[in-house]
Amino acid sequence: MNRLPNLDPLRFFLASFVLLFHLPQLSHNQGLPYFDGLSIFHRGLEAVYMFFVLSGFLIIRLIYRAKIRNTFSIKDFYVRRILRIFPLYYLVLGFGLLFYNVLLPFLNIPFEINYTWKEALFYNVFFLPNVFAKIYEPGGILEILWSIGIEEQFYLVIAPLLFFINVKWILRVLSLLLLGYFILYWTDVFEVLHKYTFVFFYLFSGGVIAILEEKKKLEFLKRSAVFPLVICIVTLLYFVTDWFLLEPLWLRAMFTCLLFGLFIHSLAFNNRGVEVKSKILNHFGSISYGIYMFHAIVLNAVVFLFLKLEMLQNLNETLTIILIHLLTFAGTLLIAHLSYTYFELYFLKLKNKFRK
C-alpha cells in the first residue's frame, strides 16, 4: 500500500514535541534542573491534537476510498486497528500498573494510588483511559494513554457510521458532525466532554479535509506555491512562538482544526514535489507510536538515575539538562526501534490478511 509523502517524518516530530513537553515537567517535579523557556516545550498537547487530525484524515480517507470500491469491511477495519494499537497499548498499560503499584513500593519510592485494580482495568480495557487519567491521576506512564482512548472511541463510532451512510452523503454528514460536535463541546451544558478531553472534532476535521481532497474540491489550493508555503510557515510559527495562541479557547480550537488539516493536506497532496526522503526520518516516523508510548517510561528511568547516582548529581545544571534530554531521546528511540522490529512488526504483518 502506497504511503502518502511527508507524513511519517511529521509523526516523528509530533512525538518528539510530546517528549519535550513532558521532560521538563518531570524534572521540575523531582527537583532536577530543567529548561522550558521556549514555546516548543509547551506544544505537547497541540502535537497530540495534530495527531488526531492526521488520524481522522487517514482513517476516514481509507474508509471513503473503500466504500467507493464497495470493499469496506467493518470486521477487517477493526482487526487492522486492533493489530496496530492493542499489542503496544496493553504492554504499556500492564507495565504502568506494575510500575506504580509494585515497583515503586518495592523501591520505597512514595506514590499515591487512589484506584483499585478493578477500576484501572475497567476504564483502560473498555476504552476510557482519558476518563481514568482525569479522575485518578495515575502517573505519567498511564496518563499518556488518554489519547489512545480518544482514537479507540472514535474508531468505535466512525466505522459503523460510515458503513451505513451512502458514500454521496459522507461529506455532508461529517461536516454536520464536525460543526455540531464542536458547538456541543464548547457549551457549558456538555462540560463533561471538555472535562475528559473528548476532542473528536479534531478527527472529524481531518476527515472532512481528506474527503474534500478525494472529491477534488481543494484543487484551487494547488494553483500557487504560495498557499502551502504560508500554511507551513504559520504551522511552524504556531509551534515555536506564542503568536497564534488565540483566546478564547474555542477560537484557538477552531483555528487549529483548520490549520492542522490544511498543513497535513499541504504535506501530502500540495507539496509541490518536495518530499522528505531521509530513511532515518521516515523510519523514526514508522516507530512514532512506540516513541509516544515509551517516552514516559524512559524519562522516569533517566530521572531516577540522576536522582540516585552521585556522579550525576555533581554535574552543573546546564550539563544535567543536556544529558537528560540526550539520554531520554536516545533511550526512547532505541526502545521504540526494538519494539517495532521485534514486537510490533509481527502484528503489523498480520494486518495484510485483512486488506482487500
Side-chain angles (χ1 to χ4, degrees):
M1 184 175 63
N2 294 329
R3 298 175 73 87
L4 295 174
N6 301 319
L7 298 186
D8 279 334
L10 173 62
R11 290 185 178 96
F12 166 62
F13 287 116
L14 293 177
S16 299
F17 294 161
V18 176
L19 188 156
L20 285 177
F21 177 65
H22 288 141
L23 194 152
Q25 291 181 344
L26 185 60
S27 295
H28 173 66
N29 291 340
Q30 296 300 320
L32 291 172
Y34 68 96
F35 176 78
D36 65 350
L38 299 174
S39 297
I40 196 70
F41 286 91
H42 302 274
R43 294 294 179 271
L45 190 58
E46 285 84 351
V48 174
Y49 290 162
M50 190 183 287
F51 263 125
F52 289 156
V53 177
L54 178 58
S55 182
F57 182 92
L58 294 174
I59 290 300
I60 292 177
R61 177 176 179 266
L62 182 150
I63 294 175
Y64 181 80
R65 289 165 66 90
K67 281 185 69 71
I68 289 177
R69 300 191 304 269
N70 198 30
T71 59
F72 179 55
S73 165
I74 292 182
K75 184 196 77 171
D76 290 352
F77 172 81
Y78 281 136
V79 171
R80 291 196 304 270
R81 291 294 86 205
I82 287 170
L83 290 170
R84 181 66 188 108
I85 294 175
F86 277 21
L88 197 50
Y89 174 81
Y90 284 110
L91 179 66
V92 173
L93 172 64
F95 178 86
L97 290 173
L98 291 174
F99 178 83
Y100 293 111
N101 289 272
V102 179
L103 183 59
L104 291 188
F106 176 77
L107 296 173
N108 293 317
I109 298 175
F111 187 86
E112 182 180 359
I113 303 293
N114 55 8
Y115 57 86
T116 66
W117 281 88
K118 287 183 179 179
E119 289 168 330
L121 292 174
F122 171 80
Y123 283 105
N124 289 286
V125 170
F126 291 99
F127 316 123
L128 292 169
N130 53 319
V131 178
F132 179 70
K134 186 65 68 172
I135 293 176
Y136 298 107
E137 298 182 355
I141 294 172
L142 293 172
E143 288 177 28
I144 65 167
L145 299 179
W146 76 270
S147 64
I148 310 303
I150 298 298
E151 299 259 358
E152 292 169 332
Q153 294 152 20
F154 178 73
Y155 298 150
L156 286 174
V157 172
I158 200 65
L161 177 68
L162 297 188
F163 179 81
F164 289 109
I165 294 175
N166 187 296
V167 70
K168 296 178 181 179
W169 290 90
I170 286 180
L171 180 58
R172 295 179 186 178
V173 170
L174 283 179
S175 299
L176 288 173
L177 281 173
L178 170 59
L179 178 60
Y181 187 82
F182 188 90
I183 293 172
L184 289 178
Y185 184 89
W186 294 104
T187 57
D188 295 336
V189 178
F190 293 92
E191 188 178 352
V192 65
L193 299 176
H194 195 277
K195 180 179 180 181
Y196 297 118
T197 328
F198 290 108
V199 287
F200 300 126
F201 50 84
Y202 280 110
L203 294 117
F204 287 135
S205 67
V208 168
I209 294 292
I211 295 179
L212 286 172
E213 167 60 27
E214 289 298 311
K215 289 175 146 312
K216 306 297 182 184
K217 301 290 186 182
L218 299 179
E219 297 302 300
F220 69 98
L221 302 178
K222 304 174 184 178
R223 294 171 186 162
S224 169
V226 173
F227 183 82
L229 180 62
V230 169
I231 288 295
C232 291
I233 290 174
V234 173
T235 304
L236 177 64
L237 290 175
Y238 185 88
F239 279 89
V240 300
T241 74
D242 295 338
W243 297 351
F244 297 99
L245 296 185
L246 307 177
E247 297 291 346
L249 288 177
W250 67 263
L251 183 61
R252 189 187 306 178
M254 183 184 297
F255 174 71
T256 50
C257 272
L258 181 62
L259 178 65
F260 294 169
L262 292 177
F263 177 64
I264 291 165
H265 175 263
S266 295
L267 292 183
F269 291 103
N270 194 16
N271 51 54
R272 316 294 291 188
V274 177
E275 181 178 350
V276 177
K277 295 186 178 180
S278 166
K279 290 184 179 179
I280 293 177
L281 285 179
N282 279 289
H283 178 65
F284 285 167
S286 298
I287 65 173
S288 59
Y289 183 35
I291 294 172
Y292 179 81
M293 295 294 277
F294 287 119
H295 81 273
I297 296 174
V298 176
L299 178 54
N300 273 274
V302 170
V303 167
F304 179 81
L305 289 177
F306 274 83
L307 290 174
K308 296 300 180 181
L309 295 183
E310 185 174 350
M311 68 174 189
L312 294 177
Q313 295 171 357
N314 295 328
L315 300 174
N316 64 54
E317 288 192 2
T318 301
L319 188 55
T320 297
I321 292 170
I322 292 173
L323 276 178
I324 290 177
H325 279 77
L326 289 177
L327 288 174
T328 302
F329 263 100
T332 300
L333 289 173
L334 175 61
I335 293 178
H337 169 74
L338 294 174
S339 170
Y340 182 83
T341 304
Y342 299 107
F343 177 61
E344 297 166 62
L345 265 182
Y346 171 78
F347 300 98
L348 293 177
K349 290 176 181 177
L350 295 177
K351 287 173 59 180
N352 292 326
K353 297 180 180 180
F354 300 92
R355 299 188 191 278
K356 286 187 174 61

